[in-house]
Amino acid sequence: MRIAGAVRVVVAAAACGVLLTSCAGGGDDGSEKDDAGADHGKRAQAGAVDLRRIPDVGDRLQSKIPEQARQVVAVYGDGEDSAKSTVVLYTKSGDKDTTWDKARSWPAHNGKKGWTTDHRENDKRSPVGVFTLTDAGGVLADPGAKFPYTKSASMQAPHYWPKTHWHDFDYVIAIDYNRAKGTPPNDPTRPQGQSKGGSIWLHMDHGSGTSGCVSLSKPGMEYLLRTLDPKQHPVVVMGDKANLEA
């Protein structure tokens, strides 16, 4: 387990308001309830599916999945302007395996305004694309993550947010969008600049859309933390249906 040093915690805490707001959006009252997440894997298997590819992902994004990747977290957004999505974990058993196996799936949420191919700070949309996954952390102790894991109270959601949001960051997996790899999820470094947004995470769900992150259940987060392995070069492929299939 990696614990952030005193200096880093101070820096992260100072930026915490900006970073956490970027991710979860404290202004959401949590009133949008749904039973989203019809099993996308089952939908994909209803027709002929080429499991040498990630289902329902077109050539543009398929080509960006690294050849060495053996774990893919696919986030299938319901629509460009929808906050509902489904997370599916696909895996390969080894370097010589040419097909993807569906391991698990969970109902999820994304940005409350949907998706974008040009994410901007506070646009309330999740960025479309393929991103590596390298670092994790949270308010709670390491549940057995294979990623470097930073436990820090500085990730605690502010208590002026709705109570439904207070546990959003108990577990976090950083999505490598506009961030420095090899740092805690709440490190404020943004290589592409502040205007491109940042702090895009996989984190725990509060029942409605986020300000750009992807959220799923606590059991789902625990499973991903214990399963995703840097040695398997995991990535996330995320977007709404139209952009994923392009």
Side-chain angles (χ1 to χ4, degrees):
M1 179 174 74
R2 180 185 63 199
I3 303 297
V7 174
R8 174 165 285 163
V9 170
V10 170
V11 172
C16 183
V18 173
L19 295 179
L20 295 184
T21 301
S22 296
C23 189
D28 186 346
D29 64 4
S31 60
E32 180 192 338
K33 302 295 182 183
D34 69 273
D35 55 355
D39 189 329
H40 187 88
K42 290 181 181 177
R43 285 206 314 267
Q45 292 170 7
V49 177
D50 182 1
L51 290 178
R52 292 171 298 178
R53 300 164 58 93
I54 300 300
D56 297 328
V57 175
D59 291 344
R60 181 174 63 86
L61 292 181
Q62 198 87 42
S63 66
K64 295 183 179 181
I65 298 173
E67 185 176 347
Q68 68 270 32
R70 295 293 177 267
Q71 295 176 323
V72 170
V73 178
V75 184
Y76 296 100
D78 280 11
E80 185 177 13
D81 299 320
S82 173
K84 299 178 183 179
S85 54
T86 301
V87 169
V88 182
L89 175 62
Y90 294 99
T91 64
K92 287 183 177 180
S93 60
D95 291 342
K96 295 182 179 180
D97 190 355
T98 60
T99 60
W100 291 100
D101 295 318
K102 179 198 159 200
R104 293 286 182 91
S105 69
W106 302 270
H109 288 92
N110 50 267
K112 63 183 71 174
K113 291 188 177 180
W115 297 89
T116 179
T117 57
D118 185 22
H119 179 65
R120 297 288 172 174
E121 181 77 3
N122 294 324
D123 66 5
K124 312 302 182 187
R125 292 180 178 268
S126 297
V128 173
V130 177
F131 309 101
T132 54
L133 301 169
T134 55
D135 301 281
V139 178
L140 299 181
D142 184 352
K146 292 182 170 65
F147 289 127
Y149 187 95
T150 301
K151 178 182 181 296
S152 176
S154 67
M155 296 186 204
Q156 174 67 57
H159 278 199
Y160 58 80
W161 287 5
K163 192 172 182 178
T164 51
H165 295 55
W166 287 3
H167 294 284
D168 281 10
F169 312 129
D170 282 358
Y171 292 129
V172 166
I173 298 172
I175 294 172
D176 292 335
Y177 169 86
N178 197 19
R179 70 176 301 270
K181 297 180 185 180
T183 63
N186 60 344
D187 186 286
T189 304
R190 294 187 177 178
Q192 299 176 56
Q194 190 76 17
S195 66
K196 292 291 290 182
S199 296
I200 305 298
W201 300 341
L202 294 166
H203 67 68
M204 285 170 48
D205 190 57
H206 55 250
S208 60
T210 71
S211 282
C213 294
V214 174
S215 60
L216 61 155
S217 67
K218 183 177 181 180
M221 284 299 300
E222 289 174 333
Y223 184 87
L224 289 177
L225 284 165
R226 293 167 181 161
T227 302
L228 295 176
D229 185 348
K231 295 179 181 178
Q232 303 302 316
H233 308 284
V235 298
V236 60
V237 181
M238 52 195 279
D240 58 282
K241 180 179 179 180
N243 274 303
L244 284 177
E245 292 181 344

